[in-house]
């Protein structure tokens, strides 16, 4: 198991999966093994999608196998220890990340997080995750015309859950950030900028936040402010290529 954890950050996903699978073969009663391997299956799934050397049939077979493995591993965690909130959280997380690939997983994600809330009702993380589920559903609906009402309903549900997360923890940066992204989707640029400026005070060293605020300034023709945020993003993360790209446009 520890060998798998060590090889994971090195990008050796297949080896990490093999090692943790070996740990599971030796002891299949530890939920933490299944929590970690379910996340690894998602990482591997994303890697497979980047492959250009696979036929459509190979891609379909490999992705289906990884999806099944991720789902089964996440479900197994709650079978082993149903009173551990981390297991319901990882199950919801896996479902949420498969919304675009597997029909109906948004409903299972919500059910999983509802079980997590029963165990830890004061956790801002869980409500933030539920907000992300509704946000992913809204984005999925936006690809089909005539879904405006459903999109609006899901965005409003997302807002409600992000607000709930903030009520539980006023300085919870992810919820503030996601609210800003919803305002952006709704075309409320002023509100989006205001929310990200507020979030900047909470998370001053978040390069992604700096980039998104810079992007909002840029699209609003506030180029001096945009330049400052892109430069801040690069100071935090020198390899932030998107921030450097927009700095180049501004220069």
């Amino acid at each position: 198991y520890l060998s798998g954890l060590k090889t994971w950050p090195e990008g050796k996903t297949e080896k990490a999966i093999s090692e943790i699978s070996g740990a599971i073969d030796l002891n299949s009663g530890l939920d933490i093994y299944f929590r970690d391997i379910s996340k690894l299956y998602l990482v591997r799934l994303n890697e497979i999608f980047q492959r250009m050397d696979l036929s459509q049939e190979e891609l379909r077979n490999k992705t289906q196998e990884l999806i099944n493995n991720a789902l089964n591993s996440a479900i197994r965690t709650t079978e082993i220890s149903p009173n551990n909130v981390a297991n319901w959280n990882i199950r919801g997380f896996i479902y949420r990340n498969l919304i675009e690939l597997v029909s109906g997983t948004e409903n299972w994600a919500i059910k999983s997080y509802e079980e997590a809330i029963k165990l830890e009702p004061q956790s801002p993380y869980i409500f933030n995750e539920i907000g992300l589920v509704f946000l992913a559903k809204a984005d999925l609906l936006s690809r089909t015309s005539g879904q405006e009402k459903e999109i609006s309903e899901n965005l409003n549900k997302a807002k409600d859950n992000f607000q709930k997360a903030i009520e539980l923890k006023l300085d919870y940066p992810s919820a503030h950030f996601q609210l800003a992204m919803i305002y952006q989707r709704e075309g409320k640029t002023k509100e989006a900028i205001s929310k990200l400026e507020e979030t900047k005070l909470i998370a001053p060293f978040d390069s992604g936040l700096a980039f998104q605020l810079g992007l909002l300034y840029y699209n609003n023709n506030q180029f001096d402010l945009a330049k400052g945020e892109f430069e801040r993003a690069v100071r935090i993360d020198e390899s932030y290529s998107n921030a450097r790209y927009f700095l180049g446009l501004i220069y």
Side-chain angles (χ1 to χ4, degrees):
Y1 171 69
L2 289 175
S3 177
L5 293 187
K6 289 177 182 177
T7 55
W8 185 347
E10 298 171 0
K12 301 175 182 177
T13 312
E14 282 190 289
K15 181 173 174 55
I17 288 173
S18 176
E19 294 288 358
I20 296 180
S21 293
I24 289 171
D25 289 340
L26 294 169
N27 186 349
S28 60
L30 286 182
D31 54 357
I32 191 172
Y33 291 174
F34 288 95
R35 284 205 304 272
D36 283 337
I37 203 168
S38 64
K39 289 185 286 187
L40 274 166
Y41 284 131
L42 275 189
V43 173
R44 185 61 184 153
L45 183 64
N46 288 325
E47 290 175 352
I48 291 296
F49 279 130
Q50 305 302 317
R51 295 269 299 271
M52 303 299 292
D53 60 326
L54 298 176
S55 68
Q56 285 299 311
E57 184 178 358
E58 288 175 319
L59 181 63
R60 182 170 58 252
N61 291 338
K62 286 180 179 294
T63 55
Q64 190 59 59
E65 180 184 5
L66 288 166
I67 288 170
N68 290 339
N69 287 343
L71 289 172
N72 291 334
S73 299
I75 292 169
R76 182 66 182 136
T77 65
T78 57
E79 291 174 344
I80 294 171
S81 184
N83 293 321
N84 187 339
V85 68
N87 294 336
W88 290 105
N89 279 335
I90 193 62
R91 187 166 169 174
F93 177 81
I94 297 298
Y95 284 132
R96 175 171 72 78
N97 279 274
L98 294 175
I99 287 175
E100 291 191 10
L101 300 174
V102 183
S103 176
T105 46
E106 68 274 9
N107 298 321
W108 288 107
I110 297 297
K111 290 180 186 297
S112 298
Y113 286 127
E114 286 173 347
E115 291 297 322
I117 288 172
K118 292 177 185 177
L119 296 168
E120 199 171 295
Q122 299 303 308
S123 169
Y125 169 82
I126 301 172
F127 288 98
N128 189 72
E129 283 291 301
I130 294 174
L132 290 173
V133 172
F134 286 118
L135 202 54
K137 180 64 175 179
D139 287 343
L140 190 61
L141 288 167
S142 67
R143 298 174 188 174
T144 307
S145 60
Q147 303 289 333
E148 288 74 17
K149 181 181 178 182
E150 290 79 3
I151 293 170
S152 178
E153 288 174 352
N154 279 276
L155 287 178
N156 286 333
K157 289 177 182 178
K159 280 183 191 176
D160 290 342
N161 281 281
F162 293 138
Q163 291 285 9
K164 179 64 176 177
I166 292 169
E167 289 171 13
L168 292 169
K169 193 175 189 300
L170 290 175
D171 61 345
Y172 199 73
S174 178
H176 285 281
F177 178 82
Q178 295 300 337
L179 278 175
M181 295 300 96
I182 290 178
Y183 292 141
Q184 183 184 23
R185 283 173 171 83
E186 294 174 334
K188 300 175 181 177
T189 303
K190 182 178 179 181
E191 290 86 345
I193 288 174
S194 177
K195 176 55 71 174
L196 280 190
E197 288 174 340
E198 177 186 345
T199 312
K200 176 181 173 180
L201 300 176
I202 301 169
F205 302 110
D206 188 322
S207 59
L209 192 153
F211 174 75
Q212 288 296 335
L213 181 54
L215 196 59
L216 285 172
Y217 283 141
Y218 183 87
N219 291 332
N220 204 40
N221 297 320
Q222 295 173 273
F223 298 118
D224 286 341
L225 291 174
K227 181 165 75 76
E229 290 304 314
F230 292 138
E231 288 175 340
R232 186 166 72 88
V234 171
R235 284 197 300 273
I236 298 169
D237 179 2
E238 291 185 355
S239 62
Y240 205 133
S241 58
N242 284 344
R244 289 186 177 277
Y245 173 79
F246 279 93
L247 271 176
L249 293 182
I250 289 173
Y251 293 150

